[in-house]
Amino acid sequence: MLHLRMITPPDLTETVVSLVRGTVGTTHLVVFTGAARDPAGDVVLCDVAREAADELLVELRRVRLDELGSIAVDDIDLSLSRRADRAEEEAPGEAADAVIWEQLTEATHEESTLSITYLAFLSIATMIAACGVVLDNAVLIVGAMAVGPEFGPLAGVCAALVRRAPRLAGRCLTALLVGFAVAMLATTAFSLVMDALGQFRPEMLDTPRPNTSFIWQPDSFSFVVALLAGVAGVLSLTSAKSGALVGVAISVTTVPAAANAAVALGYGEYAQMWGSVEQLLLNLAGIMVSGTLTLLAQKLLWRTQQNRMVREPGAPRAAGKG
């Protein structure tokens, strides 16, 4: 279940209440007349099943509540209510399959902002990965992949393509390109400093590295893994199972590839550098392709499921799960 808190202008309150009441899967409707001060108006609260939330949010935006008032959405971790149970049963589909597009867009917007924090995390992750590739240490590689924040903008590109939002796509692509460029330049400087301190040596890149040589020797499996990771990552975002993102992060070699390219550039090992860049691009492309296709499939399947339920004999606007 999700909890909605809305601030509505007085002349819009009845419309909002009607929309809430008319949406299958809502309950616990509360109206506080004149309670809001900034902006002034009424406060409307309700709980809604996750699988019915996107429909309600679309309708609320259609009446411009997001412009004239406000809409806030929170996850409900625990709800002990028979009415809530009934609302979830009446809502179409299953909660795990529902995509709340406004929530997805907002999440990817926040994670794809080109901020100092984003650049710092990506640069630090790439530096950790540089230590891992030079020392042929798989533990450092895994740690670096878990730290990297690049999946946010990647998911943002996927969402932007499906929702046809060019501004969001441009913002996410800028975050990716500028982020990796800054991280690789910083890591090149870091590797030269480490070389001056005697911690890195050119021959470290030439010696056999069985644990990390795959990073600059891409093959078909690199693209296959990226495709699978893109599917898993998007599903984890749309189903609110964020724990799966850790597994996605450590299954693709975007950050280690950028790190190996940066170190190889510093030592003039251009063959390794281009191989690493190819690995990086393969991973980025694979995630974006499969992530976009996954969102398109979810959108199509959800629409098909809702239409089938509505066509069932005796079904209301949205049929229950039974």
Side-chain angles (χ1 to χ4, degrees), residues 103-171:
Q103 189 179 56
L104 176 62
T105 302
E106 184 64 24
T108 53
H109 176 273
E110 291 179 1
E111 295 181 11
S112 62
T113 302
L114 190 61
S115 62
I116 298 298
T117 301
Y118 169 81
L119 292 175
F121 267 115
L122 190 55
S123 297
I124 291 170
T126 309
M127 292 178 191
I128 295 173
C131 297
V133 297
V134 169
L135 299 174
D136 195 35
N137 188 314
V139 174
L140 291 176
I141 294 295
V142 171
M145 289 190 286
V147 172
E150 73 278 10
F151 190 78
L154 285 169
V157 172
C158 300
L161 291 175
V162 173
R163 302 204 71 185
R164 300 178 183 178
R167 292 182 62 184
L168 177 60
R171 182 187 301 110

Side-chain angles (χ1 to χ4, degrees), residues 47-299:
D47 295 341
V48 58
R50 181 179 176 85
E51 51 269 45
D54 192 64
E55 176 190 358
L56 179 57
L57 290 173
V58 169
E59 292 298 317
L60 292 174
R61 294 198 67 178
R62 186 180 59 81
V63 298
R64 301 174 57 212
L65 181 58
D66 56 321
E67 301 175 17
L68 303 175
S70 75
I71 309 170
V73 183
D74 294 313
D75 284 304
I76 299 177
D77 294 327
L78 177 63
S79 179
L80 303 177
S81 167
R82 289 187 178 181
R83 285 181 175 272
D85 295 340
R86 192 180 307 118
E88 289 189 316
E89 291 174 359
E90 292 173 350
E94 298 294 335
D97 298 331
V99 179
I100 304 176
W101 293 100
E102 297 295 341
Q103 189 179 56
L104 176 62
T105 302
E106 184 64 24
T108 53
H109 176 273
E110 291 179 1
E111 295 181 11
S112 62
T113 302
L114 190 61
S115 62
I116 298 298
T117 301
Y118 169 81
L119 292 175
F121 267 115
L122 190 55
S123 297
I124 291 170
T126 309
M127 292 178 191
I128 295 173
C131 297
V133 297
V134 169
L135 299 174
D136 195 35
N137 188 314
V139 174
L140 291 176
I141 294 295
V142 171
M145 289 190 286
V147 172
E150 73 278 10
F151 190 78
L154 285 169
V157 172
C158 300
L161 291 175
V162 173
R163 302 204 71 185
R164 300 178 183 178
R167 292 182 62 184
L168 177 60
R171 182 187 301 110
C172 295
L173 287 173
T174 299
L176 280 174
L177 296 176
V178 175
F180 272 109
V182 170
M184 292 170 71
L185 288 174
T187 302
T188 299
F190 170 77
S191 65
L192 294 176
V193 171
M194 293 293 283
D195 179 80
L197 296 174
Q199 301 300 311
F200 287 3
R201 297 185 303 277
E203 57 269 21
M204 286 180 167
L205 288 184
D206 298 325
T207 56
R209 291 180 284 157
N211 292 324
T212 57
S213 60
F214 68 93
I215 290 172
W216 58 277
Q217 295 175 330
D219 54 23
S220 58
F221 280 104
S222 300
F223 190 67
V224 170
V225 171
L227 289 174
L228 296 174
V231 174
V234 166
L235 287 176
S236 70
L237 284 176
T238 57
S239 63
K241 295 185 183 297
S242 58
L245 281 177
V246 177
V248 173
I250 63 178
S251 62
V252 290
T253 54
T254 48
V255 167
N260 199 78
V263 176
L265 175 63
Y267 284 129
E269 296 280 351
Y270 298 117
Q272 281 200 37
M273 183 192 74
W274 288 117
S276 301
V277 170
E278 184 180 351
Q279 177 79 275
L280 174 62
L281 295 178
L282 276 176
N283 279 275
L284 294 177
I287 291 174
M288 285 189 284
V289 168
S290 63
T292 301
L293 292 177
T294 300
L295 285 175
L296 286 172
Q298 286 183 293
K299 188 175 184 178

Side-chain angles (χ1 to χ4, degrees), residues 16-49:
V16 170
V17 170
S18 297
L19 289 174
V20 172
R21 284 178 170 168
T23 302
V24 175
T26 58
T27 187
H28 302 154
L29 176 62
V30 179
V31 179
F32 294 105
T33 303
R37 293 293 181 267
D38 185 19
D42 305 327
V43 176
V44 180
L45 310 176
C46 73
D47 295 341
V48 58

